């Protein structure tokens, strides 16, 4: 049963060096306060799986040296340009990159969610995405003739790390239409959630809230982190901090600037 | 609301507006148009199509809360496309070649690249299953339109035994519009934008393409189209593309 | 785009004789008013797929002679005993039965939802459920050695027929936690929904309602049918009509009694 | 609230209460118990276990709105079991044989059956993946407990190369409790309920089973257990099993 952790660091304790950590896309609620806490803790050798893409979060973790393997479909800062630390790390060969395509990652999480060893997917054939993924296989569709189809292995992360608007004291988490949070929590061994605030009452008892609520038995730990997605947006709650993103893009363009950014926004001002 | 001059003529338009108008015509009369990340001009075109169609097609903008009809999470777009319910999608490429292959990954050897792009996003799936994929690449140069891409994020065509109801129908750049012939896997110059020439297109294109004896000029957007874009569509775009709306339409972004 | 039909019969028009019709389980919201309307219209040769089980609905349609093939995991009246018309039809060989198991049906709908030709599933091996389904195949898991796994073909119904609490005028349907309604609508060519009432305003605009709302572009037609699940329950709205279910069980025990039931509750009293 | 006599003794219990108490002990200390359709006694046992465990285990009753922790639709139970998150489930059978095979489909030839049961429900999956499956069949006769089932909805055991983390651990009937030995695929008589005898069990069981030299009597539920069941658990059951609660506990169902 999920517990409300005393501190953010307590909640993040299961994220060990070297673990497979799943995180969501920018528009769903990215746990940025938790990400900064992990950098302060100096987590190492993460295998980060961003479902299906990432922006600031992956770039920050890469720049801070926390990532060994990155598995995702794209990393950029969107309107704010390329992701500078991601780009630099790839060009320097500093991280291992597993290039995916969005629906393949979704299918791999769904395979883990269903407890099946693999999931088929259309597309992919003839692409270099497939050519560079020896862990993906091409098979014949047994329900047709001469119909090759790609089979993707189940992806079962050690930990899924999410940011959501609300949790109640029973560990239920309101995620709204961010349904991939369900699949991520179902697929992961453990799920850790930061939330804007604690909801009094039981989220499962209200039929409206229940429809967007992840039940507590999937959740390992919860920490309260107001504006925990900042500077990224939390849908229906706050938008992206465009000025901050522009500042990040400017600073992170150089290794020195990136260190300044860490000093200013991760290590000092925002320390617990 | 729009920051346009009071006396508007047919020439008072920006490149982005011309391109959005062209794309809007390419979209045609369909049920559902989806627009991926970092695609402000296609998003303008899709919302313009919806405005003209009185609510048809459905338009889903990735990253938008107001312009989305998806409530089943990040995978719904792909599931929906797999069901054949997405009629139009847009893709770009750091490199695009003459067979319609697109490269969203990098330049040079994959293991030791000379340049890295963000990544393939959903292209390695959507390019296969969405009937009308419109390729969109503003920069029209021999750097972007190449003889052969260094990495195939998604191929322009597939072998006969590959399930492939979808694929490219056109490529639009800052200089011109190409149609794509799926059977021959070749682009054909369809029109050149006002102020550009066929010779310039040939000079700046790294791949071979077909062209008719007379290449028309891309028609300019009508006054009514410009009004719709500026007054009705632009404010709707501000949620997802605040920088773009500010730069192109002169509308300040509202806070999120 | 979904239209609000003038009458229930208008909404049901796409359900043609011989079509593959998908319907939900009892506890999710069974379109019983629509079922009675289909019997009045004398629909024939249906291939009914009940996801994953059925109660009164399948029994009524079987008794009325509307069913040629039944594909489901179980039919009973629950606390009210066996399903008498189902049982009689099976013993008489009057319908073709495709016995399934609940998660297999779910997986088959999910395959259609994802646009993939099949879905793997654990379990099933060595069962007579599998032995009697030549349309299901056993394959080797290519990601392991000596690991057989069952592959189930995608199931794409012609029509999914559902009953839900609310719809708005744009055709969006609030289904709450009955998430299988999403999968059914995604999998089906067309979806027809009866609702308790029309909601003023846009269901997608309210973040709470949106989390439980099926978007209108999946929906072909909507008809208003107050208490449209009666005598079965609609979660959070009304319970099962136990007295009526007991009466049904009693009457349907004989062919004559079943005819009386039809006369009393389907053809006369409830005719439009 | 409960319709019990004022002076309760250890003998003042109904068969259903004895069985629920036995099942509650079989459940043990686990995380999540799920109860399928038409299983009022297992449901009583599961809610009793949760009551005793101060909220642990989670209990999900199929068809309940109040007692469910599922919000991802009808498939979530099966997905959840596939993830290894469901520790205990209950299955029954129109026929059950000595190897733990269960038949929920029919008697006689499948294509021309002599009797038809409702169907296999989720058994052909859950029996394989839930670690502790408790078989439950009130009617203990040579008609229900047979040498060999006519139709295997789900087998009691599987070949070594079949993915099978789950399976039967026990069979409880109106007369006795059997343990199941998965390695030997055989039942073993664990206890006989008060008022019943080993000879009676042998006479009414159609399959061979092991038994120890001394077969204990199933212990009666304690006064405190009976109080919990009647006063706390029974009212919670009324939502899903109104008839059962009325018949067994004398509590009138509330309207739905």
């Amino acid at each position: 049963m999920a517990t409300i952790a005393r501190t953010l660091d307590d909640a993040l304790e299961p994220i060990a060096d070297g673990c497979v950590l799943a995180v969501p896309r920018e528009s769903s609620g990215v746990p940025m306060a938790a990400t900064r806490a992990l950098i302060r803790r100096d987590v190492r050798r993460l295998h980060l799986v961003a479902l299906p893409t990432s922006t600031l979060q992956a770039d920050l973790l890469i720049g801070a040296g926390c990532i060994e393997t990155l598995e995702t479909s794209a990393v950029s800062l969107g309107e704010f340009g390329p992701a500078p630390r991601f780009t630099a790390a790839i060009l320097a060969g500093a991280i291992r990159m597993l290039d995916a395509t969005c629906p393949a990652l979704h299918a791999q999480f769904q395979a883990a969610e269903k407890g099946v060893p693999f999931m088929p997917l259309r597309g992919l054939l003839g692409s270099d995405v497939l050519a560079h993924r020896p862990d993906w296989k091409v098979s014949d569709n047994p329900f047709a003739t001469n119909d090759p189809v790609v089979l993707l292995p189940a992806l079962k992360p050690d930990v899924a790390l999410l940011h959501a608007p609300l949790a109640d004291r029973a560990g239920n988490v309101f995620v709204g239409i961010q349904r991939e949070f369900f699949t991520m929590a179902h697929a992961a061994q453990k799920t850790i959630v930061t939330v804007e605030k604690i909801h009094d009452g039981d989220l499962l008892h209200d039929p409206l809230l229940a429809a967007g609520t992840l039940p507590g038995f999937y959740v390992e730990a919860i920490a309260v982190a107001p504006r925990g997605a900042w500077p990224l947006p939390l849908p229906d709650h706050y938008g992206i901090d465009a000025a901050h993103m522009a500042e990040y893009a400017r600073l992170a363009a150089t290794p020195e600037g990136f260190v300044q950014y860490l000093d200013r926004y991760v290590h000092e001002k925002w320390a617990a | 609301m729009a920051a346009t001059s009071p006396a508007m003529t047919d020439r008072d338009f920006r490149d982005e507006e011309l391109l959005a108008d062209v794309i809007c015509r390419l979209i045609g009369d369909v049920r559902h148009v989806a627009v991926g990340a970092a695609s402000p001009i296609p998003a303008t075109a899709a919302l313009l199509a919806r405005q003209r169609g009185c609510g048809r097609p459905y338009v889903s903008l990735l990253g938008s809360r107001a312009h989305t009809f998806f409530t089943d999470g990040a995978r719904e777009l792909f599931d929906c496309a797999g069901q054949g319910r997405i009629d139009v999608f847009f893709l770009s490429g750091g490199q695009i070649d003459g067979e319609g292959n697109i490269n969203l990954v990098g330049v040079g050897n994959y293991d030791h690249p000379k340049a890295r792009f963000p990544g393939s996003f959903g292209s390695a799936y959507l390019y296969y299953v969405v009937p009308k994929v419109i390729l969109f690449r503003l920069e029209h140069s021999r750097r972007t339109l190449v003889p052969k891409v260094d990495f195939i994020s998604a191929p322009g065509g597939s072998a006969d035994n590959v399930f492939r109801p979808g694929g490219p129908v056109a490529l639009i750049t800052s200089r011109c519009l190409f149609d794509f012939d799926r059977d021959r896997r070749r682009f054909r110059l369809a029109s050149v934008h006002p102020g550009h020439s066929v010779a310039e297109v040939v000079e700046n294109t790294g791949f071979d393409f077909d062209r008719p004896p007379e290449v028309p000029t891309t028609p300019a957007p009508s006054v009514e189209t410009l009004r719709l874009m500026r007054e009705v569509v632009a404010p709707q775009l501000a949620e997802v593309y605040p920088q773009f709306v500010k730069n192109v339409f002169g509308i300040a972004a509202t806070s999120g």
Side-chain angles (χ1 to χ4, degrees), chain A, chain B:
Chain A
M1 188 167 143
T3 54
I4 313 288
R6 205 173 45 80
T7 68
L8 178 53
D9 286 332
D10 286 354
L12 300 176
E13 191 270 327
I15 301 175
D17 285 1
C19 87
V20 178
L21 180 67
V23 293
R25 62 179 181 166
E26 174 182 299
S27 54
S28 292
V30 175
M32 286 307 301
T35 301
R36 289 185 291 269
L38 287 173
I39 294 172
R40 283 196 296 274
R41 207 190 72 191
D42 200 24
V43 69
R44 293 280 132 178
R45 293 182 289 106
L46 290 179
H47 178 144
L48 189 75
V49 185
L51 178 70
T53 55
S54 192
T55 61
L56 176 65
Q57 184 181 32
D59 206 57
L60 207 50
L61 285 166
I62 290 167
C66 306
I67 304 285
E68 183 173 274
T69 300
L70 177 63
E71 185 169 1
T72 193
S73 304
V75 184
S76 83
L77 300 182
E79 278 212 296
F80 304 94
R85 293 298 98 211
F86 161 75
T87 310
I90 294 282
L91 295 183
I95 61 170
R96 177 172 163 248
M97 182 70 198
L98 293 174
D99 266 294
T101 186
C102 306
L105 276 171
H106 287 300
Q108 293 188 272
F109 276 81
Q110 282 187 282
E113 173 180 61
K114 291 201 79 60
V116 298
F118 59 87
M119 192 75 86
L121 192 70
R122 292 303 192 180
L124 280 166
L125 295 163
S127 75
D128 286 331
V129 180
L130 178 63
H132 286 86
R133 292 299 298 261
D135 52 332
W136 296 357
K137 294 183 190 292
V138 180
S139 175
D140 274 315
N141 170 13
F143 297 93
T145 50
N146 192 19
D147 180 21
V149 63
V150 176
L151 303 184
L152 305 161
L155 199 165
K156 201 175 173 72
D158 295 315
V159 180
L161 178 60
L162 312 167
H163 184 70
L166 301 173
D168 65 22
R169 286 174 217 287
N172 304 305
V173 178
F174 181 77
V175 306
I177 62 169
Q178 319 308 330
R179 293 301 294 195
E180 67 272 28
F181 282 18
F182 282 75
T183 305
M184 294 172 80
H186 294 170
Q189 294 278 5
K190 294 178 179 177
T191 292
I192 300 170
V193 188
T194 58
V195 295
E196 292 292 313
K197 60 177 182 177
I198 298 296
H199 172 81
D200 290 318
D202 189 325
L203 287 163
L204 293 178
H205 281 185
D206 178 326
L208 288 191
L209 288 165
T213 293
L214 174 72
F217 68 84
Y218 294 106
V219 181
E220 180 82 7
I222 292 166
V224 179
R227 291 189 72 82
W230 176 87
L232 298 181
L234 183 64
D236 297 317
H237 289 78
Y238 43 87
I240 196 165
D241 183 338
H244 186 92
M245 289 299 291
E247 183 182 357
Y248 177 80
R250 186 173 54 76
L251 286 172
T254 66
E256 302 71 31
F258 183 78
V259 169
Q260 277 179 45
Y261 179 89
L262 284 187
D263 285 346
R264 196 174 305 166
Y265 293 106
V266 177
H267 288 305
E268 296 194 10
K269 187 172 175 185
W270 296 89
Chain B
M1 284 296 185
T4 54
S5 62
M8 239 196 284
T9 73
D10 275 7
R11 293 176 186 281
D12 278 334
F13 57 83
R14 300 192 47 147
D15 290 348
E16 290 88 347
E17 293 171 326
L18 175 85
L19 299 176
D21 183 46
V22 173
I23 294 174
C24 182
R25 276 196 302 276
L26 287 171
I27 288 172
D29 181 30
V30 293
R31 299 163 304 165
H32 200 150
V33 179
V35 185
S39 308
I41 294 175
T44 308
L47 290 176
L48 178 64
R50 182 168 169 83
Q51 204 61 43
R52 282 180 179 162
C54 303
R56 176 186 160 96
Y58 286 96
V59 174
S60 292
L61 305 186
L62 199 74
S64 168
R65 183 64 186 81
H67 290 282
T68 177
F69 296 92
F70 293 131
T71 56
D72 203 27
R75 72 164 173 256
E76 188 175 5
L77 165 64
F78 307 102
D79 287 354
C80 199
Q83 294 152 29
R85 294 185 209 265
I86 302 291
D87 301 307
V88 181
F89 194 72
F90 305 90
L91 287 171
S92 187
Q95 295 178 330
I96 296 173
D97 72 24
E99 294 186 20
N101 299 314
I102 62 173
N103 174 5
L104 291 153
V105 163
V107 176
N109 181 292
Y110 179 72
D111 293 317
H112 304 285
K114 284 182 280 188
R116 170 75 202 199
F117 310 136
S120 300
F121 291 97
S123 66
Y125 180 75
L126 294 174
Y127 210 29
Y128 295 75
V129 300
V130 175
K132 246 184 201 185
V133 176
I134 299 170
L135 297 173
F136 178 83
R137 178 70 219 209
L138 272 192
E139 182 187 331
H140 186 148
S141 70
R142 288 180 174 262
R143 194 178 80 103
T144 57
L145 306 188
V146 299
K148 186 85 190 135
V149 295
D150 290 350
F151 183 98
I152 300 176
S153 285
S158 297
D160 285 347
N161 69 339
V162 170
F163 179 84
R164 179 124 205 203
V169 294
L171 163 61
I172 186 160
T173 74
S174 60
R175 302 186 201 269
C176 71
L177 171 69
F178 293 105
D179 292 334
F180 188 75
D181 182 328
R182 282 201 205 165
D183 292 330
R184 300 177 55 232
R185 294 195 202 171
R186 265 181 83 84
F187 287 104
R188 178 182 157 280
L189 188 58
S191 71
V192 171
H193 303 335
H196 300 276
S197 70
V198 174
E200 172 201 329
V201 167
V202 172
E203 187 185 324
N204 287 282
T205 305
F207 56 72
D208 261 7
F209 55 89
D210 296 332
R211 56 178 152 141
E214 292 288 313
V215 178
T217 299
T218 309
S222 72
V223 172
E224 171 60 13
T225 293
L226 289 170
R227 190 194 63 77
L228 273 178
M229 256 193 269
R230 292 165 183 175
E231 295 183 13
V232 184
V233 170
Q236 298 176 31
L237 277 174
E239 174 206 8
V240 187
Y241 297 109
Q243 303 295 323
F244 174 81
V245 166
K246 192 170 144 200
N247 298 343
V248 174
F249 299 106
I251 299 179
T254 55
S255 79

